[in-house]
Amino acid sequence: MTSPSIPKTQRRVVLANRPAGEPSGQDFRVEEAPVPEPGPGQILVRAIYLSLDPYMRGRMRDVVSYAPVVQIGEVMPGGIVGEVVKSNSPSYKVGDIVEERLGWQEYGVSSGGARKIDPSLAPISTANGILGMPGLTAYFGLLEVGQPKPGDTVVVSAASGAVGQVVGQLAKLAGCRAVGIAGGAKKCAFVKDELGFDACVDYKAGSDLTAAVKAACPDGVDVYFDNVGGVVTDAVIANINFWARVAICGSISQYNSDTTEMGPRTPGFFVGRRVTSRGFIVSDFLTRFPFAMTRLGKWVREGKLKYREDIVDGGIAKAPEAFIGLLRGDNFGKLQVRVGPEPTGIPRH
């Protein structure tokens, strides 16, 4: 089955140089390439929304990690929500909306791992956000790694971001006090007034961040969901309680650094206060994705989980600029690039 409007060529973004420190536009290259042809059992997908996420910065480094390094000249990795435009698989039909990791390009081939999306349940862009990898990261990182108990104080850094905004709301659903840390009065107002956090610390507002966390958490911190690292994490750990749990999701403040930033030595807090700290990757919980997705979808439909998206228009060529801004904290909500139009007939929520 084939859509009649498939072009011969497409635009894609490849890694041109390995950045030293903060990436620049010169580290990416937008190039023209043939639209790939799906083989037996494969499907061709037209990208509609491209997800931009902090982990992509780590993939640009030539170091061993939990995921393969992006080679020079390779398409930048990333998740997309798109439309099946050609199918050689009985499991998919032309017109299906799917989520798949096809990278920074307008068209990509999937060998059958694409997740089907029901457009009637929520806007299809949410499959890159609250009903996708970020939502699952928040769910398992908080509930499984952080193990919150009713009455706990839960602190999450990057609280207005794709993962952080979900973490705080899940904490409230678990009967906890939710405290966010975000940059700027506008983001903090969103976290408190729209998402329902109990408090939000603006890390850009003053010099004594440790005191600001203490004021927001007078009874200390029982669970810390760390997206940021650096001085923000130093301030939270200084207020950590006995038997606290730390879920380490990321350290975006350090991703552009070529040297190790020095700060307070925290192991003393961890030993003396019997703190449990665990790094995690969302794929650790792969077999339980369907159950978590069902719960997240139910809460979104019931209005118990709210979300904010930051969607950049202009097509795939806008991805490098938007990604550089993400690492600076310029985005407000789940960052995506609108690569192409949604098909006619998709429900408008």
Side-chain angles (χ1 to χ4, degrees):
M1 300 175 63
T2 306
S3 168
S5 57
I6 302 173
K8 297 292 186 183
T9 62
Q10 64 159 329
R11 291 182 302 170
R12 64 186 189 184
V13 180
V14 302
L15 181 65
N17 302 290
R18 296 206 185 280
E22 181 176 345
S24 71
Q26 295 180 342
D27 297 319
F28 305 92
R29 183 173 67 252
V30 181
E31 62 182 26
E32 196 86 6
V35 171
E37 183 68 23
Q42 295 182 328
I43 58 174
L44 179 65
V45 181
R46 176 183 68 86
I48 300 172
Y49 294 103
L50 167 67
S51 175
L52 295 177
D53 301 282
Y55 78 84
M56 297 169 178
R57 180 62 182 88
R59 300 284 299 275
M60 299 167 73
R61 298 181 184 274
D62 192 12
V63 295
V64 177
S65 182
Y66 62 88
V69 174
V70 182
Q71 300 302 317
I72 301 298
E74 282 189 346
V75 175
M76 283 291 297
I80 65 98
V81 172
E83 177 191 17
V84 176
V85 293
K86 186 172 184 179
S87 176
N88 294 330
S89 168
S91 299
Y92 303 88
K93 67 180 186 298
V94 169
D96 281 347
I97 303 298
V98 297
E99 181 270 329
E100 177 65 295
R101 309 193 71 75
L102 298 180
W104 297 17
Q105 55 186 347
E106 293 174 326
Y107 289 83
V109 168
S110 170
S111 296
R115 172 170 64 103
K116 287 186 180 181
I117 305 302
D118 184 348
S120 69
L121 298 180
I124 62 174
S125 57
T126 58
N128 276 335
I130 194 167
L131 298 182
M133 182 268 288
L136 291 168
T137 300
Y139 181 93
F140 290 110
L142 179 66
L143 301 181
E144 297 293 327
V145 181
Q147 298 184 1
K149 301 184 293 293
D152 279 351
T153 294
V154 175
V155 175
V156 56
S157 52
S160 68
V163 174
Q165 60 183 265
V166 184
V167 170
Q169 294 179 89
L170 291 176
K172 294 297 294 181
L173 289 175
C176 300
R177 185 169 187 271
V179 177
I181 302 176
K186 186 176 181 181
K187 290 182 178 180
C188 282
F190 166 72
V191 166
K192 286 185 60 181
D193 300 339
E194 294 190 40
L195 299 183
F197 285 47
D198 296 284
C200 188
V201 175
D202 181 358
Y203 72 84
K204 294 182 177 179
S207 57
D208 194 343
L209 190 54
T210 299
V213 173
K214 183 176 180 63
C217 306
D219 297 322
V221 178
D222 299 297
V223 179
Y224 176 42
F225 194 107
D226 187 7
N227 290 307
V228 171
V231 296
V232 170
T233 293
D234 294 339
V236 176
I237 297 303
N239 289 279
I240 208 79
N241 280 339
F242 278 77
W243 310 108
R245 287 81 65 203
V246 178
I248 305 174
C249 179
S251 54
I252 192 171
S253 70
Q254 309 299 300
Y255 288 167
N256 286 333
S257 178
D258 283 337
T259 58
T260 302
E261 183 180 276
M262 299 303 292
R265 307 292 185 177
T266 57
F269 287 99
F270 285 35
V271 174
R273 300 181 190 181
R274 285 70 153 182
V275 175
T276 300
S277 178
R278 175 183 166 188
F280 74 97
I281 303 296
V282 67
S283 58
D284 296 344
F285 307 94
L286 186 63
T287 59
R288 298 168 61 195
F289 279 11
F291 174 76
M293 193 65 73
T294 297
R295 297 190 80 189
L296 289 169
K298 179 175 182 291
W299 289 329
V300 168
R301 290 190 296 276
E302 292 174 348
K304 294 179 179 178
L305 287 180
K306 300 177 182 179
Y307 62 92
R308 183 185 181 111
E309 297 177 327
D310 188 342
I311 296 179
V312 176
D313 286 307
I316 199 71
K318 290 290 187 179
E321 178 186 356
F323 178 66
I324 292 167
L326 169 71
L327 297 175
R328 294 174 178 164
D330 294 345
N331 63 298
F332 192 169
K334 170 58 197 158
L335 183 62
Q336 304 186 58
V337 173
R338 197 189 315 268
V339 180
E342 294 190 16
T344 57
I346 292 289
R348 302 296 175 183
H349 296 268

